[in-house]
Structure formats: structure tokens, C-alpha cells
């Protein structure tokens, strides 16, 4: 993997480690101030999203020397996650999707860099 991949993957992974841990550990009441959409998602789905974010973050950090497939698979999964998150925000009346778009672009770039 290139240096560019690591420069992008490490902060992206740290973001998803934090966001995933919050979704797995915190109650919806504690998440609501920062994630207005939590009331529209069942708790098991919220926890599953958190676990997927944690797995994606860890997958981004697996070096090619150990296995060549986790980083591209994780990046692709995070792209899909954001492709699902954007409509959830838009259909709920939340037009603040700038972070989602940035995460989508970053995950797509990490995917490209992990296979290049």
C-alpha cells in the first residue's frame, strides 16, 4: 500500500472507530443530539451500523503484508454505507450531508488507493 493510502486511511479509520463505538455503546437518547436520524432506525440496525463501521475501520488498517483483500473490501463497504446514509438524511429532512459526501469521497479514494 502506498503512503497516500495510509495518509487517507488512518484518519478515516479513526473517524469510523469513534462513530462506530458511539453507535454500539451509547443509548439512542445520548446519540440524538448529534444524530437526529436515530429515532427513525431500530436499535438493532443502529448497533449493526456501528459494528460495520468498526469492522470497516479495522479493515482499512490491515496492511497488504498480512492480507491484500481487507482494505479494499472495507473501503468498498464504507462507500456503500455512505451511499445508504445520504438518502436516510435527505428523506428525514436533514439536508446537512456535507460530512457524508466527504466520507464518501474519502472512502472511494481509499478504495482506489488500496487497489492501485
Amino acid at each position: 500500500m502506498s503512503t497516500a493510502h495510509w495518509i487517507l486511511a488512518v484518519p478515516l479509520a479513526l473517524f469510523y472507530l469513534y462513530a462506530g463505538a458511539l453507535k454500539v455503546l451509547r443509548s439512542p437518547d445520548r446519540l440524538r443530539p448529534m444524530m437526529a436520524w436515530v429515532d427513525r432506525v431500530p436499535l438493532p440496525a443502529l448497533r449493526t451500523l456501528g459494528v460495520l463501521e468498526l469492522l470497516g475501520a479495522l479493515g482499512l488498517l490491515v496492511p497488504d503484508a498480512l492480507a491484500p483483500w481487507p482494505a479494499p473490501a472495507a473501503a468498498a463497504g464504507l462507500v456503500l454505507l455512505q451511499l445508504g446514509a445520504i438518502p436516510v438524511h435527505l428523506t428525514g429532512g436533514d439536508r446537512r450531508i456535507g460530512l457524508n459526501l466527504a466520507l464518501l469521497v474519502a472512502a472511494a479514494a481509499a478504495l482506489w488507493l488500496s487497489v492501485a
Side-chain angles (χ1 to χ4, degrees):
M1 282 183 212
S2 69
T3 303
H5 168 80
W6 290 110
I7 290 170
L8 181 63
V10 169
L12 189 61
L14 290 173
F15 174 85
Y16 278 111
L17 284 171
Y18 175 71
L22 287 179
K23 289 177 184 87
V24 169
L25 299 172
R26 284 195 177 175
S27 70
D29 291 336
R30 292 193 59 207
L31 290 173
R32 193 172 299 110
M34 65 178 80
M35 300 174 197
W37 54 269
V38 297
D39 291 330
R40 295 184 290 121
V41 176
L43 186 59
L46 178 69
R47 301 294 189 224
T48 300
L49 287 171
V51 169
L52 291 173
E53 289 178 346
L54 291 171
L55 291 173
L58 295 174
L60 285 175
L61 300 176
V62 174
D64 267 349
L66 293 178
W69 61 268
L78 294 173
V79 166
L80 293 174
L81 185 83
Q82 289 308 317
L83 287 174
I86 290 169
V88 168
H89 285 272
L90 292 175
T91 58
D94 181 5
R95 302 288 181 222
R96 295 172 296 170
I97 58 167
L99 177 60
N100 300 97
L101 292 172
L103 291 169
L104 175 63
V105 169
L111 174 58
W112 182 74
L113 289 168
S114 66
V115 296

